[in-house]
Amino acid sequence: MANETTSDSTPKTTVAPAKNKPASGPKLSPDIEKLLQGRLHDPFTVLGRHAQNNADLFRVFLPHAEEVYLADLDESMTRVTGTDLFEWTGARNSLPKHCRIEWYDADKNQHAYYDPYCFEPQLSDFDLHLFGEGKRW
């Protein structure tokens, strides 16, 4: 935030654009917008692997990452302009079922993990139903 003075001497406060909302660039889908705002109820719809025509689209959300790589393919992912979302598009079924991600932070420290969105949800719909009723503990 920065304070400025208008011509009538009243203080005016300006807010810097949020890091996870691009100031300009490609229009993001509503689900991606919700994800970046922390309001998406089902991140599986955006993150992980998704079939797109004859290709695979793979997305990760890594707020502290500077560079992100698909370790299994030794290929880099591209940052979506103005966000902490990274994407890769490649040949259909070229990624292994459980994809390993490597990323580097601003201090060039290396991190590696398996993408959690490559794994199926562990709770069944029935378990979620019972949990919602307060009957599963």
Side-chain angles (χ1 to χ4, degrees):
M1 264 195 213
N3 288 326
E4 299 175 5
T5 306
T6 60
S7 58
D8 63 356
S9 299
T10 40
K12 177 178 133 187
T13 302
T14 57
V15 178
K19 183 177 180 184
N20 281 325
K21 184 160 183 170
S24 64
K27 175 85 171 119
L28 301 177
S29 75
D31 280 347
I32 290 176
E33 288 282 346
K34 288 179 185 175
L35 175 80
L36 298 176
Q37 296 165 3
R39 299 184 309 111
L40 185 63
H41 74 284
D42 184 10
F44 279 91
T45 61
V46 174
L47 300 174
R49 180 195 329 229
H50 299 276
Q52 187 179 53
N53 299 325
N54 291 329
D56 277 342
L57 171 66
F58 189 77
R59 288 191 191 106
V60 296
F61 180 67
L62 291 167
H64 300 288
E66 295 294 319
E67 301 172 42
V68 180
Y69 297 90
L70 293 169
D72 302 303
L73 301 179
D74 198 29
E75 291 190 27
S76 64
M77 298 183 73
T78 305
R79 181 186 294 270
V80 175
T81 306
T83 72
D84 291 322
L85 192 66
F86 292 81
E87 293 182 336
W88 173 86
T89 304
R92 189 92 167 101
N93 298 319
S94 60
L95 287 172
K97 183 174 181 175
H98 299 118
C99 189
R100 199 165 63 95
I101 307 298
E102 289 182 0
W103 61 279
Y104 295 87
D105 59 27
D107 296 325
K108 299 297 180 199
N109 295 314
Q110 182 181 13
H111 308 268
Y113 74 102
Y114 284 92
D115 180 57
Y117 295 96
C118 288
F119 298 92
E120 296 293 322
Q122 299 296 306
L123 295 174
S124 70
D125 288 337
F126 184 65
D127 286 326
L128 292 173
H129 169 77
L130 291 175
F131 184 77
E133 288 183 342
K135 296 181 179 177
R136 193 65 130 191
W137 53 89

